[in-house]
Amino acid sequence: MKFLLITLITHVPDPVTGESASTTDRLREVVDNAVLAEELGFDGYGVGERHERPFISSSPPVVLSHIAARTSTIRLFTAVTTLSLLDPVRAYEDYATLDHLSGGRLELIIGKGNGAAQRDLFDVTPEDQWDRNIESYELFRRLWREEKVTWSGRFRPPLVNAEVWPRPLQRPVRVWHGSATSERSVDLAAKWGDPIFSANVTNPIEPYAALIRHYRERWAHYGHDPAAAVVGAGTAGFYAARTSQEALRTFRPLFEARLALQTRMGLEPVFPTLEDFVERSSALIGSPQQIIDKVHRYHERFGHQVTHLQADRAGLTADQHRETLELFQSDIAPALRRDLPGPRQLASCP
């Protein structure tokens, strides 16, 4: 199994202390966490894309370019590139450039995105966002593969024998399809033989397992080898300690702060207690053996080969954050890499 750290670059007060970092410091923390991820041996680091509060991840190519300059081996992911909002030609140019600057370390996770504010910002409606995502991706994938493209669609001007530069270093970059609940997203991935990344964050396991099962069914429907399907899955939280008691004690104030925020926003919590959150969500909180066992349980339902953990401290001190990631790499990752299959490598596919 392979392991990523992913951040959506939320910009909110520390859930425990209430202190707020400046925008500059928050962005620097994201880059420093990527350097730490490489130092500790994680396989990839992902940066989200959002265009509304409380996120400051509106320009992932810029952030990832800075990370590329500070690192040398770790794979660089988007999580997700919101193609329903973007001109696919401009997005291609940005990411093809980044692919060169990173030495061919780029992987893209694409999706339609969500949130009314960012739809309004880009004049995208709930009715057309899925069609935009599909159309944009089908042009986007051709741009990675073809020297000259002739194309027409509904949402951008046509292209006639168009050359788009630079050509990428990887031929082509691997594109994953990120989805929380959408069968349309996983069907698009299955059609083109692409991997998927299940959000696997908000709810218990059942809806995500059903979506992955649908992906595998559609993958076979489109004539692909079932053994070639690649699935990634997220986690709702992470904190490992030597004992379960220590893990719960440290994570409890973080969970209670999250619960209080949901209450202020008028949201009904899916997991009303920390114990319920640990038991029924995808969160990996506990001793190393408890976390290993839980990943195995999820793997039985998902058959996934890649897992992501939260990259941000999210209320932990810097020392706690480093210590728990070190424990993951020393006591958890080796067992999971040994026991569970992973993709041959996190690198571009033909």
Side-chain angles (χ1 to χ4, degrees):
M1 183 167 277
K2 304 288 188 181
F3 301 100
L4 320 179
L5 297 184
I6 287 181
T7 177
L8 300 182
I9 320 186
T10 53
H11 191 215
V12 295
D14 183 287
V16 176
T17 67
E19 297 177 356
S20 295
S22 69
T23 299
T24 300
D25 287 344
R26 180 70 183 95
L27 290 171
R28 285 175 175 164
E29 179 186 25
V30 168
V31 175
D32 289 344
N33 281 336
V35 174
L36 175 63
E38 179 171 275
E39 176 191 337
L40 296 181
F42 282 89
D43 300 289
Y45 189 87
V47 172
E49 179 178 338
R50 298 291 189 277
H51 299 272
E52 59 187 335
R53 291 177 181 270
F55 308 99
I56 52 173
S57 50
S58 58
S59 188
V62 176
V63 177
L64 287 169
S65 290
H66 194 58
I67 290 171
R70 293 278 308 279
T71 59
S72 58
T73 59
I74 196 167
R75 302 292 296 177
L76 305 179
F77 283 73
T78 64
V80 301
T81 296
T82 52
L83 276 184
S84 65
L85 309 179
L86 306 177
D87 179 347
V89 174
R90 188 72 186 101
Y92 163 82
E93 292 173 333
D94 284 342
Y95 286 115
T97 302
L98 174 55
D99 194 38
H100 283 279
L101 292 173
S102 67
R105 290 186 281 140
L106 177 66
E107 305 217 11
L108 296 166
I109 306 176
I110 66 107
K112 73 168 182 61
N114 51 35
Q118 62 182 13
R119 284 199 305 265
D120 292 345
L121 191 64
F122 289 90
D123 194 28
V124 173
T125 69
E127 292 74 27
D128 69 19
Q129 62 185 349
W130 291 111
D131 292 337
R132 286 178 180 271
N133 186 61
I134 292 169
E135 178 180 294
S136 292
Y137 177 61
E138 293 186 348
L139 172 57
F140 191 66
R141 75 184 311 276
R142 287 187 61 189
L143 293 169
W144 288 100
R145 289 163 172 79
E146 301 175 26
E147 300 292 331
K148 296 183 179 181
V149 175
T150 296
W151 173 92
S152 63
R154 290 173 53 197
F155 300 109
R156 63 149 286 128
L159 301 174
V160 179
N161 209 30
E163 294 182 289
V164 187
W165 291 90
R167 302 309 302 156
L169 179 57
Q170 300 178 89
R171 296 296 184 97
V173 68
R174 174 153 60 181
V175 177
W176 305 63
H177 296 248
S179 180
T181 58
S182 169
E183 289 188 354
R184 295 189 68 178
S185 289
V186 300
D187 188 80
L188 182 66
K191 175 182 177 180
W192 293 110
D194 296 330
I196 64 165
F197 217 107
S198 171
N200 191 37
V201 168
T202 307
N203 297 299
I205 194 171
E206 285 76 13
Y208 305 114
L211 198 67
I212 293 170
R213 187 165 57 248
H214 178 75
Y215 166 69
R216 295 186 187 279
E217 291 168 355
R218 298 303 292 170
W219 178 275
H221 168 81
Y222 286 114
H224 304 301
D225 177 4
V230 175
V231 174
T235 54
F238 167 71
Y239 186 73
R242 290 295 176 187
T243 67
S244 59
Q245 294 84 357
E246 181 186 349
L248 290 173
R249 184 170 59 252
T250 301
F251 199 84
R252 191 173 299 279
L254 281 63
F255 176 81
E256 291 175 349
R258 179 186 303 191
L259 205 64
L261 176 61
Q262 291 176 336
T263 300
R264 290 195 299 273
M265 296 173 64
L267 302 175
E268 183 71 24
V270 177
F271 309 104
T273 68
L274 175 58
E275 287 71 19
D276 187 45
F277 182 62
V278 171
E279 175 63 28
R280 293 196 305 123
S281 84
S282 61
L284 303 178
I285 299 166
S287 68
Q289 190 59 53
Q290 287 174 313
I291 290 173
I292 291 168
D293 292 344
K294 189 166 189 178
V295 174
H296 272 273
R297 291 200 303 273
Y298 268 76
H299 184 267
E300 288 173 2
R301 300 288 299 276
F302 291 175
H304 60 305
Q305 301 101 316
V306 181
T307 294
H308 92 58
L309 307 179
Q310 181 174 278
D312 300 322
R313 291 195 289 115
L316 297 174
T317 67
D319 287 344
Q320 288 173 326
H321 181 58
R322 183 184 184 98
E323 288 166 4
T324 195
L325 293 178
E326 288 177 338
L327 183 60
F328 181 87
Q329 289 289 28
S330 65
D331 287 35
I332 300 169
L336 294 174
R337 292 185 195 279
R338 181 190 65 239
D339 296 342
L340 301 178
R344 289 188 305 275
Q345 57 182 341
L346 287 178
S348 57
C349 296

